[in-house]
Amino acid sequence: MRVEVDTGMCIGAGMCALTAPEVFGQDDVEGVVVLADERPPPHLHAAVRDAVDRCPAAVIRVHERG
Ligand code: SF4
């Protein structure tokens, strides 16, 4: 799995960081998403998919075979 985020479109809602904190963080200034792990290990994949579903701006993309 490979994860991408469009930081320019992130609205800083923070759902990703709550859902998969090992993979997503937020910057200290505006709360924009910071990708901590572009290739998360298998045990985190379900949480990453949940984060995709919960992101209100739909800016997280997952490439399952990336
Ligand atoms: S859930 Fe989406 S909009 Fe919110 S911080 Fe994460 S990437 Fe940005």
Side-chain angles (χ1 to χ4, degrees):
M1 170 185 280
R2 183 167 60 85
V3 182
E4 281 182 348
V5 291
D6 183 348
T7 54
M9 296 297 290
C10 170
I11 60 172
M15 291 306 296
C16 56
L18 289 172
T19 306
E22 301 90 344
V23 180
F24 304 100
Q26 289 178 273
D27 78 15
D28 293 336
V29 181
E30 295 178 341
V32 171
V33 64
V34 176
L35 191 56
D37 191 349
E38 185 182 349
R39 294 183 183 276
H43 72 279
L44 296 176
H45 289 187
V48 170
R49 292 185 194 106
D50 282 349
V52 171
D53 291 342
R54 292 174 182 173
C55 175
V59 301
I60 306 170
R61 292 186 63 188
V62 165
H63 305 275
E64 294 286 351
R65 297 172 190 273

